Amino acid sequence: MKLKFFEGMHGRMSYVLQKGESGRPLLVFMAGFGTTNNYLELKNIARRIDSTFSKLFIDRLGVARSDETSAPRTWQNIVAELHELIRTLHEGPVLFFAHSANGPISL
């Protein structure tokens, strides 16, 4: 696991990116709100998915090693923060593997 950080509009988010083949969709893994680290929670599931896909595990602001933030935790802010990170890392199709409260965020 290579933990990286992205300085976004409301603070620094931690993430793990596993590169796949160029032109393939990016799979974004997002566990539920009770999770302490998306990569640790979902890595075993991700291993079962074709390695040609790039896989991104994001810890939202206020979770795991990501910064705390004074920005309100509205759906709009969370989606904007995630969109900013994803578009910086990947051009092309994105598929979400979301669980629990992250389901509405992925829509």
Side-chain angles (χ1 to χ4, degrees):
M1 169 179 92
K2 174 132 178 151
L3 185 65
K4 297 181 180 179
F5 294 93
F6 172 75
E7 188 67 45
M9 65 179 74
H10 296 136
R12 193 176 69 140
M13 283 189 285
S14 61
Y15 68 94
V16 173
L17 176 62
Q18 298 173 339
K19 285 287 209 178
E21 292 180 6
S22 178
R24 298 286 287 176
L26 172 69
L27 301 179
V28 178
F29 289 84
M30 298 171 58
F33 271 163
T35 304
T36 58
N37 180 290
N38 275 319
Y39 176 75
L40 295 177
E41 292 285 335
L42 298 171
K43 68 180 179 179
N44 290 326
I45 293 171
R47 282 187 195 141
R48 294 183 174 110
I49 297 173
D50 189 344
S51 63
T52 62
F53 288 97
S54 292
K55 299 166 190 162
L56 178 62
F57 304 83
I58 302 171
D59 292 319
R60 295 176 322 281
L61 291 172
V63 176
R65 304 262 323 262
S66 291
D67 288 347
E68 294 292 328
T69 182
S70 60
R73 299 292 72 213
T74 63
W75 294 116
Q76 292 83 4
N77 280 345
I78 294 170
V79 168
E81 294 156 4
L82 295 173
H83 187 263
E84 180 185 32
L85 170 59
I86 291 166
R87 286 295 159 222
T88 299
L89 297 176
H90 182 78
E91 292 181 13
V94 176
L95 302 171
F96 285 88
F97 185 96
H99 172 69
S100 187
N102 277 314
I105 292 171
S106 69
L107 297 175

